[in-house]
Amino acid sequence: MEMTERQLIQEILNTVDVVYDFENADEDNKEYTLLITRQKEDTRELSTINNEMKRYFKEADFSYDEDMEPKNDGAEIKVDIARHNTVNTTDAD
């Protein structure tokens, strides 16, 4: 069974282990805006977390555009991701 875009995004964010919220989710256009915050006990640098997320999303064929410490969103990182290219699923189980 194939994962939805949203499930894939959630799996990536859970792997990176951050608190997240979907500010915007345009399922039809596969465009999402994520608000990311570190967990209270997380001592990693924001840039470290951002680089880790960016790597996972790029591997999953998402574009990735981050805004570090945005002014008005109550998040530490605001990320716009999109997945416009079609992924070859013919080889999938």
Side-chain angles (χ1 to χ4, degrees):
M1 160 130 173
E2 197 171 324
M3 264 197 264
T4 65
E5 303 274 325
R6 186 184 279 257
Q7 286 171 319
L8 180 58
I9 293 166
Q10 289 171 324
E11 184 162 288
I12 289 171
L13 295 172
N14 288 335
T15 300
V16 180
D17 200 22
V18 289
V19 178
Y20 62 89
D21 195 21
F22 284 88
E23 182 182 65
N24 180 44
D26 182 344
E27 312 272 349
D28 293 337
N29 291 314
K30 301 186 178 191
E31 295 173 353
Y32 305 86
T33 302
L34 309 170
L35 299 176
I36 309 295
T37 309
R38 284 175 287 201
Q39 305 217 27
K40 287 182 178 59
E41 67 281 358
D42 194 342
T43 56
R44 293 175 294 175
E45 293 288 328
L46 274 186
S47 58
T48 302
I49 293 170
N50 185 59
N51 289 339
E52 191 176 338
M53 283 192 299
K54 185 182 292 191
R55 190 179 77 238
Y56 284 123
F57 280 116
K58 295 273 188 200
E59 284 173 4
D61 288 320
F62 283 91
S63 64
Y64 188 97
D65 182 24
E66 75 274 20
D67 179 6
M68 302 294 277
E69 302 189 55
K71 293 277 179 278
N72 303 320
D73 295 296
E76 294 183 299
I77 309 173
K78 181 176 183 173
V79 182
D80 290 309
I81 57 172
R83 199 176 191 196
H84 293 142
N85 51 341
T86 52
V87 178
N88 177 5
T89 55
T90 53
D91 299 330
D93 295 333

